[in-house]
Amino acid sequence: MQTLTDVPIGRRVRIAQLNSLPEMCSRLRELGFCENAVIRCVNKGSGNIICEVCNTRIGLNQFVANSIYVSSLE
């Protein structure tokens, strides 16, 4: 399994697990970053990652992105 920071730009992946404080996991789920959700990495830069989830682009810092474990869609 890899983290969201390891995903190349443009690749779609499925969220496998959230590994952070309960409050952070709850907030991520509210934003659509829940287990089994399909997301796409749109852009990376300056320690931030922009992802598309539920047809919305959301920016995450690298610390938060490292707590999101993803798996390939293939």
Side-chain angles (χ1 to χ4, degrees):
M1 225 176 343
Q2 61 184 352
T3 65
L4 186 55
T5 56
D6 301 324
V7 176
I9 294 172
R11 170 100 26 105
R12 291 170 35 119
V13 293
R14 185 177 310 277
I15 297 177
Q17 179 183 359
L18 301 178
N19 187 25
S20 188
L21 297 172
E23 300 83 18
M24 179 60 70
C25 291
S26 177
R27 181 64 179 139
L28 286 168
R29 288 184 182 105
E30 288 173 356
L31 292 170
F33 288 88
C34 52
E35 289 82 353
N36 295 318
V38 175
I39 61 174
R40 183 172 66 94
C41 181
V42 176
N43 200 354
K44 293 182 181 183
S46 303
N48 296 318
I49 297 174
I50 299 174
C51 297
E52 187 175 79
V53 58
C54 302
N55 294 319
T56 302
R57 291 182 178 193
I58 298 175
L60 302 173
N61 68 31
Q62 192 168 3
F63 176 78
V64 173
N66 275 327
S67 71
I68 300 173
Y69 289 90
V70 298
S71 60
S72 176
L73 286 178
E74 287 96 38

